[in-house]
Amino acid sequence: MFGSALIVQALGAVLIGIVSVGMVQLSASFESVSSEAEFADAMGPFFAFMAGTLGVSVLIGFLGSVLQGVLVVPVSRSVLNRRTGFKQMWKLAAPRILPLLGVAALLTLGGLLAVAAVIGIAILLFTTMGPAALLIVLPLGLGAVVAFVWIGLKLMLAPAVIVVERTGVYDGLLRSWQLTKNNWWRIFGITLVVAIMVGVIAQIVQIPVSLAAAAIGGVVAPHPDPESMTSTLILTTIISTAIGALVGSVTFAFQASVSSLIYMDLRMRRDGLDVELMRLMETGSDPEGIPGGPSTVPGNTAWPPSGGEFPSTPPGQQPQA
């Protein structure tokens, strides 16, 4: 899990590092601007770098959504204490890559369109109403954030559903919506606590790294000039991005594990998946498959066999697998 997350985080760190160095060098070029025409010419590359930063963020979010579905494989297998290697994980997830790309693209595009719609409405209101539009824009922005969080948590299990239950994009989204029914606040609380924990841990690691990078810059270039400042910037950026990629890999793998365990927990509550897991543990059947999904052994089916929720049983009776 760490290795897979590291690949994505390293890619994002490299791209962000390149954009950051370019932004700093471009900002330094503004010092030589002496006319409005030169300023207008310099703003073109600046906006291009800003768009690049946004593009990198969207790309990392897109790849993260795909990777979240892949990482459910080792988590679901670890429930039965079955080890999963890097190659085996990707082998089991490979048939579901296209649906994962589809759901990731759909969620990313939906989020971008929602943000663009809110910003467009806000600009329109400020253009027509002036400062008074703030009375409408603030509640609108707050409502948009609430709606975004609510819908995001309702659909957060779609990648796991697509991989484990081998559904399509639409069925995966619908299944996630159904699984999270009547459990939204519990999922929100778990997700919020995990996000706070991850954020605090990341800051604890990143702050000393930032201070160390600044100290290294002071030692390497005690009397900075443009060339030494560029070299120092590149050195500190490499150090910061490397540490950031390592920390991001650990935190992402942890968050993906939590999401996968939430999915398994909801399957146990709604489908009686724990009964099937106990059967798999006792019999040792389907050792190379993904627990909770269609079996790789001929003759075995997905759980629950009917494709619906596990039937309720009277108190005192044990459900039968």
Side-chain angles (χ1 to χ4, degrees):
M1 294 179 67
F2 173 75
S4 300
L6 182 60
I7 293 174
V8 174
Q9 293 295 323
L11 175 63
V14 170
L15 295 177
I16 291 175
I18 293 173
V19 172
S20 299
V21 172
M23 288 283 288
V24 172
Q25 292 180 335
L26 187 62
S27 299
S29 66
F30 283 133
E31 298 177 359
S32 60
V33 172
S34 57
S35 65
E36 293 185 1
E38 293 180 353
F39 180 79
D41 292 337
M43 286 302 294
F46 180 79
F47 284 123
F49 276 112
M50 291 291 292
T53 303
L54 177 61
V56 171
S57 301
V58 172
L59 175 62
I60 297 304
F62 173 81
L63 294 177
S65 182
V66 174
L67 188 58
Q68 181 181 345
V70 175
L71 295 184
V72 74
V73 174
V75 173
S76 60
R77 287 175 56 82
S78 68
V79 173
L80 298 181
N81 198 29
R82 294 177 178 176
R83 293 183 177 275
T84 308
F86 182 87
K87 181 179 179 180
Q88 184 182 16
M89 178 185 74
W90 283 98
K91 181 180 179 180
L92 289 171
R96 312 307 304 155
I97 291 299
L98 287 180
L100 280 177
L101 291 173
V103 77
L106 188 61
L107 293 176
T108 302
L109 181 62
L112 290 176
L113 290 178
V115 172
V118 173
I119 294 177
I121 293 173
I123 293 174
L124 180 63
L125 288 174
F126 276 114
T127 302
T128 56
M129 299 178 60
L134 192 63
L135 298 175
I136 301 177
V137 171
L138 284 179
L140 176 65
L142 181 60
V145 171
V146 172
F148 183 83
V149 172
W150 182 70
I151 296 175
L153 289 179
K154 293 287 290 183
L155 301 178
M156 67 177 288
L157 303 181
V161 172
I162 287 174
V163 172
V164 176
E165 302 180 43
R166 302 184 187 179
T167 66
V169 174
Y170 174 77
D171 290 337
L173 294 171
L174 181 61
R175 173 73 163 151
S176 176
W177 194 278
Q178 293 171 344
L179 284 174
T180 54
K181 184 179 180 181
N182 300 326
N183 283 277
W184 190 91
W185 282 108
R186 188 169 63 89
I187 297 173
F188 172 75
I190 295 172
T191 306
L192 179 62
V193 170
V194 170
I196 293 174
M197 290 171 55
V198 167
V200 170
I201 293 172
Q203 289 300 316
I204 290 175
V205 176
Q206 290 285 5
I207 290 176
V209 170
S210 301
L211 295 176
I216 292 173
V219 173
V220 173
H223 304 290
D225 56 74
E227 294 183 358
S228 61
M229 286 181 63
T230 301
S231 301
T232 303
L233 175 64
I234 294 175
L235 176 62
T236 55
T237 300
I238 292 174
I239 295 174
S240 299
T241 52
I243 299 299
L246 291 173
V247 175
S249 301
V250 175
T251 56
F252 182 85
F254 177 67
Q255 288 178 304
S257 300
V258 172
S259 299
S260 301
L261 290 175
I262 290 175
Y263 166 72
M264 297 297 288
D265 172 71
L266 293 176
R267 289 285 308 276
M268 293 178 187
R269 294 171 183 267
R270 293 188 175 274
D271 298 344
L273 180 61
D274 51 330
V275 179
E276 170 69 358
L277 294 176
M278 286 189 291
R279 185 189 67 81
L280 291 175
M281 177 67 76
E282 293 172 355
T283 62
S285 60
D286 197 16
E288 302 301 323
I290 305 175
S295 174
T296 59
V297 178
N300 290 353
T301 57
W303 184 263
S306 62
E309 294 189 354
F310 188 79
S312 59
T313 54
Q317 297 186 14
Q318 294 296 325
Q320 300 298 317

